[in-house]
Amino acid sequence: MTVPSTPRSATPVARDPRATGVRRHRREDRAWRIGGRLATILPIVGFAFVMIVLAVKAWPAFRVSGLGFITHSAWQPGNTYGGTQRVHGVLIPQGATYGAWPMLLGTLQTSAIALLVALPISIGTAFALTERLPKWLSAPLGFFVEILAGVPSVIIGLWGVLVLGPFLSRDVYPIVANHLPNVPVLRYFRGSVGYGEGLLTSGLVLGLMIVPVIASTTRDLFLQVPPLPKEGALALGMTDAEVARRVTIPWVRSGIIGATVLGLGRALGETIAVAMVSGSVLGTVAPNVYGTMTTIAATIVTQLDSAATDGTGFAVATLAEAGLVLAIISVVVNLLARTIVRRAGRMAAPVGRA
Amino acid sequence: MDEVTRQKATPNEVDRALAHLDPDAGRPSNVVDVRSLSLQFGAKTVISDVTIPFERGTITALIGPTGSGKSTFLRTLNRMNDRVVGFRHEGEVLLDNESIWSSSQDLLSLRRRVGMLFQRPNPFPMSIKDNVVAGVKAHGIAKGRELDVVAETRLREVGLWNAVKDRLNDSPYRLSGGQQQLLCLARALAVGPEVLLLDEPTSALDPLSTEAVENLLRTLVPALTLIVVTHNLGQARRVSDRTMFFYEGRLVEHGPTPALFESPRDPDTARYVNGLMG
Ligand SMILES: Nc1ncnc2c1ncn2[C@@H]1O[C@H](COP(=O)(O)OP(=O)(O)OP(=O)(O)O)[C@@H](O)[C@H]1O
Ligand SMILES: [Mg+2]
């Protein structure tokens, strides 16, 4: 079989690559491509650089305690001014031993509480801003959420330790603690309520801090949901709540997950506010939900000064190791979220459709 | 053996016997009755003084130039306009002799009885099967394994079953536009409405899908009553029993479809059905 040959070019001028217009296009194309690649690679390179620096700094501490670092609880700087000893070839102060388990757990617990509190409030706020309230009310509310996003965390921490913590421990926590039954999970909410500094207060303060992050993103997402599917649901005889649950939220589910991860990232890494309201107690796991504790981020910022006095550098290496653990947690959270988003995306509508 | 003598039933007895077979017996023959209806958005009157009965089991086409108030009129019948800021109504809309705005009328069940199909397909972000049964679930009409039966029945009814039976759990957004519209029709039918409002249901579809939807609409009567807004005059002629012509918010003329198209009484109607008006 023969393929009839067609003239390759009917208009040779237009096909000439030396024609200036075409050449400029090619060059611009290449610039875009290279620029685009750089833009994708740079964050990865930057992140890898940070991780490597942390790992190098943390290496001595890792040699001393190995994986035991994340399972043990003791937090003792040892005798910083006295003798030193050599463990696995690393010079450390006499009696120094560090375990990050309580602060690792504290980090996860406070962030979990923050999410549990912030997610419903944020979605509710976003709904109030986009669906139900008249403009004259939703505009100021939106403004308030945006302002809240800009309040420095040290101010929120101050408010938490001076106002919220005392109020909760005096007027709210006792009621909860005295009335819950002694059964698994709820048992954790019984017992001594302390003075307002601790796990629950930290979680609530963190929750408040991430509400604006999640709410403002979610509001923007809701505004993108086209009216037609929502009208379809209403016309089918669904209530507003059903429309929200079955149409509006699923429509932007992956975006909400993304916003939540953003908020979670902030909660995991928040330092100063947690340092102020957690009680900053090292080396012990909170006995109940009101107990004092600390998180990795808060520990790093509160312990850095005294760690610098450790002449062997072991304390600083330990904080670097803690930082590495926090970074790894953040990455894992992100990857998990991506998996969930991919799952959620299976039913999701292409944005702007309908 | 006795000789069986058959006596003729009196007309009255026939009526009574048939009443058991016909669920519509005893109900008013006009399922929707619009009386002196005027509709306003703010200061603007969009529909003025429309009185029109819709006979049970018929298809009525609403035609008229753009902006003449067809959608507004249609969306009032299942109270979709109620929440629009500035919307006001005068006059009455009766559904089975009861005002749709009466306090004893439950909005959610009103919308179950008066369903709606929109200009463009609007599937929900859930699987194909869940789309069909979304309303059924919301109204608690069926649950569990019954839902599968409902889904299959309705998908068969709209002729979509063979196309989607292997991907019931997939996203609806990968279906073609026509298939999506049929899916939305299946979803609307699944809650068992008495009246179906259709606002330009085929304007976003290709000719073949349009034909499929039109053929389907004919099969839905007389079980349902259909009110169809359309810009497609051919469609109005093909599917409807009666046609209403709206012009600038007034119901200018209405009557049996062939009569309205072939011998319109009003000059505006004549210009419109002859394609001489925008
Ligand atoms: N929510 C609203 N607020 C104010 N005015 C409105 C609203 N909806 C519709 N209108 C006005 O009411 C009039 C009738 O609109 P409607 O959508 O009912 O026309 P239509 O006959 O359906 O037109 P089309 O054929 O283009 O769909 C138009 O002038 C429109 O601008
Ligand atoms: Mg319209």
Side-chain angles (χ1 to χ4, degrees):
Chain A
M1 203 173 113
T2 56
V3 180
S5 70
T6 49
R8 281 184 57 83
S9 173
T11 49
V13 179
R15 294 229 170 177
D16 186 355
R18 278 163 303 182
T20 49
V22 174
R23 205 153 80 197
R24 213 183 62 232
H25 259 125
R26 293 252 163 98
R27 209 179 299 144
E28 267 175 26
D29 265 8
R30 246 183 67 194
W32 272 112
R33 264 205 310 277
I34 293 171
R37 263 183 220 153
L38 271 181
T40 36
I41 289 171
L42 268 180
I44 299 174
V45 170
F47 181 73
F49 180 73
V50 170
M51 291 298 268
I52 289 168
V53 168
L54 268 181
V56 168
K57 289 276 177 204
W59 180 240
F62 186 74
R63 275 172 72 193
V64 172
S65 35
L67 283 181
F69 180 65
I70 54 172
T71 57
H72 288 150
S73 299
W75 192 272
Q76 268 138 28
N79 186 352
T80 344
Y81 303 105
T84 55
Q85 65 187 115
R86 206 165 267 284
V87 178
H88 300 304
V90 181
L91 199 65
I92 69 170
Q94 202 96 55
T97 174
Y98 295 107
W101 169 243
M103 64 175 76
L104 173 58
L105 187 65
T107 302
L108 297 177
Q109 287 172 322
T110 48
S111 295
I113 294 171
L115 272 196
L116 285 179
V117 173
L119 204 52
I121 294 181
S122 304
I123 292 182
T125 307
F127 261 112
L129 291 176
T130 55
E131 308 272 338
R132 310 297 300 281
L133 300 183
K135 269 241 149 45
W136 61 267
L137 210 90
S138 70
L141 186 57
F143 187 63
F144 174 74
V145 168
E146 240 132 72
I147 290 290
L148 188 60
V151 175
S153 38
V154 65
I155 305 293
I156 295 187
L158 205 58
W159 173 78
V161 75
L162 295 180
V163 181
L164 183 68
F167 163 72
L168 290 174
S169 67
R170 196 182 56 233
D171 296 327
V172 181
Y173 291 169
I175 301 172
V176 179
N178 294 334
H179 288 87
L180 285 181
N182 194 1
V183 296
V185 183
L186 291 188
R187 178 176 303 148
Y188 209 51
F189 286 80
R190 290 162 52 91
S192 161
V193 298
Y195 300 99
E197 292 175 19
L199 176 53
L200 187 53
T201 309
S202 305
L204 294 176
V205 165
L206 281 178
L208 186 72
M209 292 175 71
I210 65 177
V211 159
V213 178
I214 306 180
S216 61
T217 314
T218 307
R219 178 196 56 187
D220 295 346
L221 289 166
F222 283 167
L223 288 175
Q224 285 178 30
V225 179
L228 210 50
K230 291 190 281 188
E231 285 203 319
L234 284 175
L236 213 48
M238 289 195 195
T239 62
D240 286 318
E242 284 164 343
V243 176
R245 200 160 59 86
R246 300 197 182 281
V247 178
T248 312
I249 293 176
W251 196 278
V252 293
R253 186 180 286 141
S254 54
I256 294 179
I257 295 171
T260 308
V261 172
L262 223 62
L264 183 57
R266 175 145 191 221
L268 288 170
E270 175 54 38
T271 53
I272 199 66
V274 179
M276 293 163 93
V277 297
S278 64
S280 289
V281 170
L282 288 156
T284 54
V285 169
N288 65 7
V289 82
Y290 314 104
T292 53
M293 38 69 70
T294 189
T295 65
I296 296 177
T299 303
I300 293 175
V301 79
T302 54
Q303 297 301 303
L304 198 55
D305 265 356
S306 63
T309 64
D310 178 346
T312 66
F314 181 53
V316 171
T318 300
L319 291 184
E321 194 177 11
L324 196 62
V325 171
L326 181 57
I328 291 171
I329 293 176
S330 308
V331 171
V332 168
V333 164
N334 259 290
L335 292 180
L336 272 180
R338 270 163 203 270
T339 321
I340 299 173
V341 168
R342 212 170 299 134
R343 289 249 176 84
R346 276 198 322 128
M347 281 316 152
V351 170
R353 211 43 201 270
Chain B
M1 209 158 96
D2 286 326
E3 178 99 349
V4 179
T5 52
R6 181 167 294 170
Q7 279 186 329
K8 269 212 164 139
T10 64
N12 236 335
E13 284 171 329
V14 171
D15 274 358
R16 248 180 287 133
L18 285 180
H20 294 287
L21 300 174
D22 181 5
D24 292 335
R27 293 171 154 196
S29 65
N30 295 328
V31 58
V32 175
D33 203 346
V34 176
R35 298 192 179 163
S36 314
L37 185 69
S38 294
L39 305 173
Q40 285 165 293
F41 289 117
K44 185 173 181 204
T45 300
V46 176
I47 289 287
S48 35
D49 196 21
V50 168
T51 298
I52 182 90
F54 291 91
E55 198 185 327
R56 195 182 299 277
T58 60
I59 302 184
T60 304
L62 269 59
I63 61 171
T66 186
S68 54
K70 306 179 298 292
S71 297
T72 307
F73 177 81
L74 195 74
R75 292 164 56 87
T76 301
L77 302 184
N78 65 346
R79 292 178 54 186
M80 290 295 283
N81 278 333
D82 279 18
R83 245 205 257 155
V84 176
V85 181
F87 174 76
R88 277 186 303 137
H89 67 89
E90 279 161 42
E92 267 307 343
V93 176
L94 304 181
L95 177 67
D96 277 348
N97 276 347
E98 193 192 355
S99 166
I100 60 170
W101 288 292
S102 93
S103 53
S104 60
Q105 189 76 257
D106 172 45
L107 180 60
L108 300 183
S109 38
L110 170 77
R111 288 183 177 156
R112 189 193 66 67
R113 293 167 63 195
V114 183
M116 192 159 205
L117 192 65
F118 293 78
Q119 192 165 0
R120 275 177 297 153
N122 55 352
F124 303 148
M126 52 180 78
S127 74
I128 291 174
K129 186 197 129 189
D130 286 341
N131 258 282
V132 181
V133 298
V136 176
K137 269 192 202 162
H139 290 285
I141 297 170
K143 54 179 186 290
R145 298 211 49 83
E146 297 162 9
L147 292 173
D148 293 344
V149 180
V150 172
E152 177 170 349
T153 312
R154 296 307 178 176
L155 286 169
R156 280 190 191 284
E157 191 173 358
V158 300
L160 209 51
W161 175 250
N162 283 327
V164 304
K165 64 171 186 259
D166 296 323
R167 42 176 171 159
L168 290 176
N169 293 315
D170 287 0
S171 161
Y173 301 108
R174 282 192 285 274
L175 297 175
S176 75
Q179 289 174 324
Q180 290 189 26
Q181 191 66 319
L182 289 175
L183 177 66
C184 295
L185 184 56
R187 179 177 78 191
L189 293 175
V191 294
E194 297 160 41
V195 179
L196 198 58
L197 312 172
L198 305 98
D199 195 349
E200 302 182 40
T202 62
S203 67
L205 305 186
D206 67 278
L208 272 181
S209 309
T210 299
E211 200 186 326
V213 171
E214 285 179 7
N215 291 339
L216 200 56
L217 296 187
R218 286 302 331 173
T219 68
L220 297 178
V221 285
L224 271 70
T225 307
L226 267 47
I227 307 175
V228 190
V229 170
T230 182
H231 278 289
N232 181 337
L233 297 181
Q235 180 168 74
R237 296 184 77 149
R238 284 190 295 274
V239 303
S240 72
D241 304 302
R242 300 181 66 83
T243 298
M244 300 161 62
F245 173 63
F246 277 90
Y247 186 47
E248 291 177 343
R250 289 172 299 112
L251 175 56
V252 172
E253 185 169 349
H254 65 92
T257 298
L260 188 129
F261 276 94
E262 273 141 40
S263 47
R265 274 173 280 120
D266 186 277
D268 284 333
T269 316
R271 280 203 301 142
Y272 186 75
V273 299
N274 291 316
L276 301 175
M277 186 194 285

